[in-house]
Structures are given as structure tokens and as C-alpha cells.
Amino acid sequence: MTNPYIPWPVRVERVTIENDAHDLKTFELSFVNPADRESFRFAPGQFGFLSISGVGEAPFGIASAPHEDRIWYTVKRAGAFTTALHEIETGTTIGMRGPYGNSYPLDLAKGKDLVIVSGGFSFTTLRSTVVHVLKHRSEFGKLTVVYGARSAGELLYKDELHAWEKSADLHLVVCVDRLSGAPWPAREGLVPNVLKEVAPAAANAVALVCGPPIMIRYTHPVLETLGFKPNQVFLSLENRMKCGIGKCGRCNIGEKYVCKDGPVFSYEALSKLPTDY
Ligand SMILES: Cc1cc2nc3c(=O)[nH]c(=O)nc-3n(C[C@H](O)[C@H](O)[C@H](O)COP(=O)(O)OP(=O)(O)OC[C@H]3O[C@@H](n4cnc5c(N)ncnc54)[C@H](O)[C@@H]3O)c2cc1C
Ligand code: FES
């Protein structure tokens, strides 16, 4: 039996600074043994653990799409591990284990409209979702994405956002909490308010939501007002984790393990759980 805690060696191929504060970086990784890439099959919404020998490990959502060769993670500098990761240089070998957890319900969404709502640096696994859906465009209905951040400088993947704004394949609405004179984006407003104005149709649609708790709290009533039922709305959680594989009990909500039963839950499923998420 293989040890599930042993990470694959992966090489840091590229590091991109995503924001003005320089505390958000995207790491593009390749497998040191190319055959491992074949074994690393994942779906949008799943996560992995990155590790640095002698420092530790931490979980992060996979930001690349399954068909992309390199595995992307976008990481905010928060404490000891993420600070060490931010200091890593290209060409360095680190560890990665996973993929873990369930994924966004893209099979359920096939043939339906997809509404993606996100704020700040939580857009990572939804970036994976958008890139995946664009690759398999004919399998889905209308794709609406509402993505916001505090300011223009805090938006992730700016080059892609610019390209997607011009694309007929999706309706992307980018917003910032407060305009600051920057030429882009032009739309001011908090994500839930902008979602209300965009008003995507709920009939035959699935909504995927990932963002800071405050955004999630105010987004849910807007989706309800638009007619989305609890079984049409899916949310990705980021409870603290240790093992990632349902062994340690660090991440559970009631009887559910966020690492194994989630991190993606429908509002319908969450409404049956204690509210400590
Ligand atoms: C499933 C999952 C996916 C995640 N995806 C991403 C991602 O794509 N990008 C990213 O930057 N981060 C992500 N995180 C959070 C990331 O794991 C933590 O920021 C990281 O573990 C911090 O490690 P550290 O040693 O640098 O800081 P620590 O010293 O462990 O923590 C620094 C600060 O961050 C807080 N913190 C740590 N973990 C969490 C958490 N899960 N939720 C809220 N606050 C936390 C601590 O309380 C402390 O205040 C994810 C977490 C989970 C569980
Ligand atoms: S992190 Fe150990 S059980 Fe979920």
C-alpha cells in the first residue's frame, strides 16, 4: 500500500506576482517525473497540499484546469508556510500531494446555465472551472461570471480577465468595491449587489460560489431572490485541515469532513449541518 502522505516532487516552473501588495503569487508546477502527471487526475474544485522539506505543508485549491499541463496554485502570504513558499525561486523542487476532496458539480451543470460568483483571491478553483468550461464550451449553456475585489490591484489573473471580457463565450462582469481612478475595471460595487444587477436567470441554472465569508453571507439572499433553490447553489469551504484525507478530524462540521465530503457543498446540504463553517 502506498503512503498517502508522501508527496510527489514537483518543480516550480514559474511564479507570477498577482497583486499590488505582492502577497498573492501564482505558482506553476510541473512533475519532476512526467509520468506522475498522468496519475494526477483532478476536477475543478479539488485541492492539494504543497510542502517544503523542513518547513511544513498546507492545503490550497488547484487553480489550473485539468487539461492544462502545469498545476497552478495561487497562494496568499499568511504565516510561516506561505511565507516560505513565497520565497521559493523558480527551478526549486517542492512537494505536492492530492488531489483531494470532491469537485464542483459540472456533470450536473451540463446542458444548464452556469453562474459563477467570486470575490478576492478565492477565485482560484473557479478560474479552473471557467478555463475547463471554455474548453468544453458546447456542453454548457450560458456562462455568467461575477468576480470582484477590493481594488483593481487585488484582482487575480488580470490578462485572462481582459481576454474573457472580450469573448463571446461568457459574460464576465468584473467589479471593485470602490473605483480609484484606475482605467479598469469600470464597475463599482460589492459582488452581491453587482450580482443582483446582472440578475442571471435561475431557471435551468447552477450557481457556484467561492469567496470570503462576508461575501458568501450577502450573496445567498440575492441568489434566493433571483429564484435559485438551495439545491442549485454550491459553495466551496476552506475549514482548517491537517491530513486532508478524513483521518484527523480537524475539518469536520457535524458528521461531515470538509476534506473528504467537501470542500464543495450545496446550500441544501449545508442547511442540514451545524452552522460552524
Ligand atoms: C481546502 C482549502 C483550500 C485552500 N485554498 C487556498 C488557496 O487557493 N490559496 C490560499 O492562499 N490559501 C488557501 N487556503 C488557506 C491556506 O491553507 C492557509 O492560508 C495556509 O494553511 C496558511 O499556512 P501558513 O503556515 O502560512 O499560516 P498559519 O500560520 O497556519 O496561518 C496564518 C493565518 O492564517 C489563518 N488561517 C490558516 N488557515 C486558514 C484557513 N483554512 N481559513 C482561514 N484562515 C486560515 C490562521 O488562523 C492565521 O491567522 C485553503 C485552505 C483550505 C482548507
Ligand atoms: S483534515 Fe483531517 S479529517 Fe479533514
Side-chain angles (χ1 to χ4, degrees):
M1 202 174 96
T2 52
N3 184 336
Y5 296 104
I6 295 180
W8 277 299
V10 288
R11 194 169 29 245
V12 178
E13 297 289 358
R14 190 167 180 224
V15 182
T16 305
I17 298 170
E18 295 283 354
N19 64 340
D20 291 349
H22 288 207
D23 62 358
L24 279 165
K25 288 185 177 179
T26 295
F27 298 86
E28 294 180 32
L29 310 176
S30 70
F31 285 85
V32 170
N33 175 5
D36 290 343
R37 179 67 187 90
E38 277 303 301
S39 314
F40 193 82
R41 297 275 171 98
F42 68 95
Q46 289 194 283
F47 66 95
F49 273 70
L50 297 181
S51 56
I52 301 172
S53 181
V55 180
E57 64 169 5
F60 303 98
I62 303 171
S64 49
H67 66 272
E68 293 181 298
D69 190 39
R70 291 180 183 171
I71 311 298
W72 290 27
Y73 292 92
T74 301
V75 175
K76 186 173 177 78
R77 194 179 346 105
F81 179 76
T82 50
T83 298
L85 190 63
H86 269 238
E87 284 162 8
I88 285 269
E89 292 183 359
T90 53
T92 308
T93 296
I94 62 172
M96 176 177 74
R97 63 182 177 95
Y100 296 132
N102 64 358
S103 54
Y104 291 115
L106 294 180
D107 279 342
L108 175 80
K110 276 190 185 155
K112 297 183 179 169
D113 291 349
L114 205 48
V115 178
I116 287 178
V117 187
S118 188
F121 72 97
S122 300
F123 190 51
T124 56
T125 53
L126 289 173
R127 184 249 171 216
S128 167
T129 308
V130 173
V131 174
H132 175 80
V133 170
L134 292 177
K135 170 85 176 163
H136 302 274
R137 191 65 197 88
S138 60
E139 295 176 15
F140 299 90
K142 193 172 176 190
L143 172 61
T144 305
V145 181
V146 177
Y147 173 45
R150 220 171 293 157
S151 63
E154 296 303 302
L155 290 160
L156 300 179
Y157 320 127
K158 292 178 193 60
D159 290 347
E160 283 181 321
L161 296 180
H162 288 302
W164 293 344
E165 275 186 329
K166 293 185 198 120
S167 169
D169 285 334
L170 75 166
H171 178 207
L172 170 68
V173 180
V174 183
C175 56
V176 285
D177 293 0
R178 194 163 300 161
L179 292 176
S180 62
W184 176 89
R187 189 141 187 170
E188 185 175 64
L190 301 172
V191 168
N193 298 341
V194 173
L195 176 67
K196 200 174 185 178
E197 289 162 20
V198 173
N204 203 33
V206 168
L208 311 178
V209 183
C210 192
I214 186 87
M215 186 210 91
I216 287 170
R217 193 174 323 141
Y218 288 102
T219 295
H220 187 204
V222 173
L223 287 169
E224 267 186 327
T225 307
L226 292 172
F228 284 82
K229 303 272 179 291
N231 63 359
Q232 287 177 272
V233 180
F234 294 82
L235 171 67
S236 184
L237 301 184
E238 287 191 0
N239 287 38
R240 311 290 163 90
M241 293 182 185
K242 198 88 185 152
C243 69
I245 53 174
K247 302 282 184 206
C248 72
R250 178 80 172 94
C251 68
N252 60 307
I253 308 173
E255 289 176 351
K256 298 284 182 196
Y257 292 102
V258 174
C259 65
K260 209 160 61 92
D261 302 312
V264 178
F265 294 90
S266 67
Y267 270 118
E268 186 179 39
L270 282 178
S271 65
K272 294 176 185 145
L273 296 176
T275 53
D276 50 353
Y277 54 86

